[in-house]
């Protein structure tokens, strides 16, 4: 704004220039000469004033242009700064996201570590439990075999079951064996007869269906 104000002042000064007036003498001739001199002076002053005014106008014009240029420059700079600001904001957002991502990674690694440690503990517990079960089973089997040998088939030594292939079946002679062993004892040609391995007596089963033989519940529940 400064150039505009300065130019305006110059213009105002040019407009108020007043020629120096001297009072003419009584003498007509000299008065005429004086008037002519004054007229010349006035004309010179007018020319000077006009020149000054013109210069002032030029200055003002220049100042306006300068102002316009400054405004445009400022606008451009402002736009550039806004662009830079937007870029910085985008970069900041990207960095924030990256930090968040790294933090998540760290948390995930931590969680993974905890899970791994827990898995290891669980695995150790499972191993110990299996060992204990194995010991218990061995002990039970030992006790079982010693105390109740009638609970297993004399031929295959498998434990009798309530139903199925290892169910205890009573032969006509009174001896008990599991269904599988009785099946395997069927004669090659006479599929309807079985010889008891204990007392060598023959047993005849009408159609060869051994599942019709009665189950020895005593062997199961004693
Ligand atoms: Zn058997
Ligand atoms: Zn028998």
């Amino acid at each position: 704004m400064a150039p505009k104000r300065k130019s305006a002042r110059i213009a105002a000064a040019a407009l108020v220039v007043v020629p120096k007036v001297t009072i003419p003498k009584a003498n007509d001739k000299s008065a005429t000469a004086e008037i002519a001199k004054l007229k010349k002076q006035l004309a010179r002053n007018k020319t000077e004033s006009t020149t000054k005014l013109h210069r002032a106008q030029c200055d003002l014009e220049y100042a306006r242009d300068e102002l316009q240029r400054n405004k445009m420059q400022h606008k451009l700079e402002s736009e550039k700064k806004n662009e830079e600001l937007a870029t910085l904001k985008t970069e900041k957002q990207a960095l924030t996201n990256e930090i968040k991502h790294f933090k998540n990674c760290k948390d995930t690694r931590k969680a993974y570590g905890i899970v791994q440690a827990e898995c290891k503990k669980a695995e150790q517990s499972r191993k110990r439990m299996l060992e204990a079960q194995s010991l218990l089973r061995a002990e039970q089997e030992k006790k079982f075999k010693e105390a109740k040998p009638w609970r297993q088939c004399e031929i295959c030594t498998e434990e009798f079951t309530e139903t199925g292939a290892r169910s205890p079946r009573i032969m006509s002679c009174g001896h008990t064996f599991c269904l599988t062993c009785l099946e395997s004892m069927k004669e090659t040609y006479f599929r309807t007869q079985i010889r008891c391995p204990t007392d060598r007596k023959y047993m005849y089963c009408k159609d060869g269906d051994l599942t019709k033989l009665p189950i020895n519940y005593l062997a199961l529940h004693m």
Side-chain angles (χ1 to χ4, degrees):
M1 290 304 279
K4 192 183 177 183
R5 275 208 302 276
K6 195 182 166 190
S7 304
R9 260 206 314 278
I10 294 163
L15 286 170
V16 295
V17 168
V18 178
K20 199 178 168 186
V21 179
T22 46
I23 298 157
K25 290 170 187 171
N27 190 326
D28 269 2
K29 200 181 173 185
S30 68
T32 310
E34 193 66 29
I35 285 165
K37 197 183 163 189
L38 278 172
K39 272 183 181 171
K40 267 186 191 171
Q41 182 71 32
L42 201 64
R44 263 205 305 279
N45 282 355
K46 197 185 169 187
T47 311
E48 268 176 33
S49 294
T50 310
T51 311
K52 277 182 185 171
L53 183 65
H54 183 68
R55 270 187 203 150
Q57 277 172 343
C58 281
D59 281 351
L60 190 63
E61 202 64 34
Y62 178 78
R64 273 184 191 149
D65 285 351
E66 185 79 20
L67 189 68
Q68 194 63 29
R69 271 200 299 278
N70 282 346
K71 267 186 186 171
M72 279 179 78
Q73 183 76 18
H74 181 72
K75 201 183 162 195
L76 281 173
E77 275 173 14
S78 172
E79 276 172 7
K80 204 179 161 191
K81 271 180 186 155
N82 278 341
E83 271 174 29
E84 276 172 13
L85 196 68
T87 312
L88 280 174
K89 269 184 187 169
T90 313
E91 278 172 12
K92 191 196 161 200
Q93 188 57 45
L95 277 173
T96 309
N97 286 345
E98 218 163 304
I99 287 166
K100 213 182 274 177
H101 177 70
F102 274 121
K103 200 170 170 280
N104 282 346
C105 278
K106 204 182 145 201
D107 287 350
T108 309
R109 271 204 296 275
K110 204 175 158 190
Y112 184 72
I114 291 167
V115 169
Q116 286 288 304
E118 287 301 315
C119 278
K120 212 172 178 182
K121 271 189 211 166
E123 184 59 31
Q124 281 169 352
S125 297
R126 204 176 69 89
K127 217 177 255 179
R128 278 205 300 275
M129 194 183 76
L130 283 174
E131 279 168 9
Q133 273 183 347
S134 169
L135 276 172
L136 194 69
R137 205 184 305 119
E139 215 167 291
Q140 275 179 342
E141 272 173 11
K142 203 178 158 193
K143 273 185 193 169
F144 194 74
K145 273 175 190 170
E146 279 169 5
K148 295 169 180 176
W150 57 86
R151 279 207 178 172
Q152 61 188 49
C153 172
E154 273 182 59
I155 301 167
C156 64
T157 68
E158 287 284 336
E159 192 183 335
F160 289 134
T161 53
E162 294 266 351
T163 53
R166 299 295 171 193
S167 53
R169 302 288 172 162
I170 306 168
M171 294 180 76
S172 56
C173 61
H175 289 108
T176 299
F177 302 101
C178 76
L179 191 62
T180 308
C181 287
L182 287 174
E183 282 285 351
S184 67
M185 283 191 286
K186 275 179 179 173
E187 299 280 357
T188 315
Y189 294 105
F190 304 99
R191 302 288 292 164
T192 51
Q193 67 176 34
I194 297 170
R195 200 171 188 181
C196 174
T198 308
D199 57 18
R200 312 301 293 163
K201 285 179 182 169
Y202 280 104
M203 181 191 79
Y204 299 93
C205 45
K206 210 179 172 185
D207 50 12
D209 184 8
L210 297 176
T211 58
K212 284 176 182 169
L213 287 174
I215 290 174
N216 187 351
Y217 286 106
L218 205 65
L220 283 168
H221 300 299
M222 251 182 86

